[in-house]
Amino acid sequence: MRMLVQRVRNAKVTVGGEAVGVLDHMGYLVFLGVCDADDESIAERMVSKLVNLRIFEDENGKTNKNLQSIGGGVLVVSQFTLYADCHHGNRPSFIKAGNPDHANALYEKTLDLLRSAIGSDQVSHGIFGADMQVSLVNDGPFTIWLDSDEILH
């Protein structure tokens, strides 16, 4: 499982000109990619890592606060292209991305885990498999790459 995490002041995802997911306060915009080797236990550990990341500033300007301590939210956008393989040629291959049914199930599981961890009212999302437009105000900028192959093994 891969997560590209951006600390944002706000973010929005639209489909067909309609806002389907909105984060109107501090938090994370998370682009989520799933491969076939991922399972629910990986999703659980990745969500735990995500919500416990201390990348928000405390009163001394140090990155010591996590998502919950600032009352932050999360906007999750599915993105199979996080598994792009660009080693050969100029057109990426996406064969490492998860089967859509499997990926969608883990995407939904990740949303459920986030709702349990930080509250349903703090979790927003895009539409799996849709052509989405994403806008955001990145804070910092602060962007983190979480890859289950690197952080969970």
Side-chain angles (χ1 to χ4, degrees):
M1 182 173 282
R2 294 179 175 166
M3 294 179 173
L4 182 69
V5 181
Q6 295 185 309
R7 187 179 75 185
V8 297
R9 292 183 182 266
N10 58 66
K12 175 173 67 171
V13 62
T14 59
V15 175
E18 179 182 338
V20 296
V22 176
L23 176 61
D24 60 4
H25 58 287
M26 286 291 288
Y28 298 145
L29 170 60
V30 177
F31 294 101
L32 176 67
V34 174
C35 74
D36 286 331
D38 293 330
D39 59 23
E40 288 189 9
S41 70
I42 289 174
E44 289 168 1
R45 294 185 306 177
M46 291 292 283
V47 166
S48 177
K49 176 64 90 172
L50 178 68
V51 300
N52 289 301
L53 278 177
R54 296 184 310 154
I55 64 170
F56 294 98
E57 293 180 358
D58 64 14
E59 56 282 349
N60 298 316
K62 301 286 185 191
T63 52
N64 280 327
K65 292 190 173 190
N66 67 16
L67 193 63
Q68 293 165 301
S69 66
I70 65 141
V74 178
L75 172 58
V76 182
V77 177
S78 63
Q79 190 170 356
F80 76 94
T81 60
L82 293 178
Y83 278 94
D85 182 349
C86 299
H87 286 97
H88 303 289
N90 294 316
R91 184 189 326 169
S93 168
F94 300 104
I95 60 172
K96 294 181 182 178
N99 168 286
D101 291 336
H102 174 70
N104 188 28
L106 279 181
Y107 170 74
E108 292 295 333
K109 177 65 176 178
T110 300
L111 292 172
D112 288 343
L113 291 165
L114 282 166
R115 289 179 188 114
S116 294
I118 64 171
S120 293
D121 60 330
Q122 295 288 12
V123 180
S124 189
H125 57 88
I127 298 174
F128 185 89
D131 180 16
M132 296 175 275
Q133 292 70 51
V134 181
S135 59
L136 67 136
V137 175
N138 193 313
D139 185 50
F142 207 123
T143 304
I144 300 285
W145 176 252
L146 298 178
D147 186 331
S148 61
D149 285 342
E150 296 173 1
I151 64 174
L152 302 180
H153 299 342

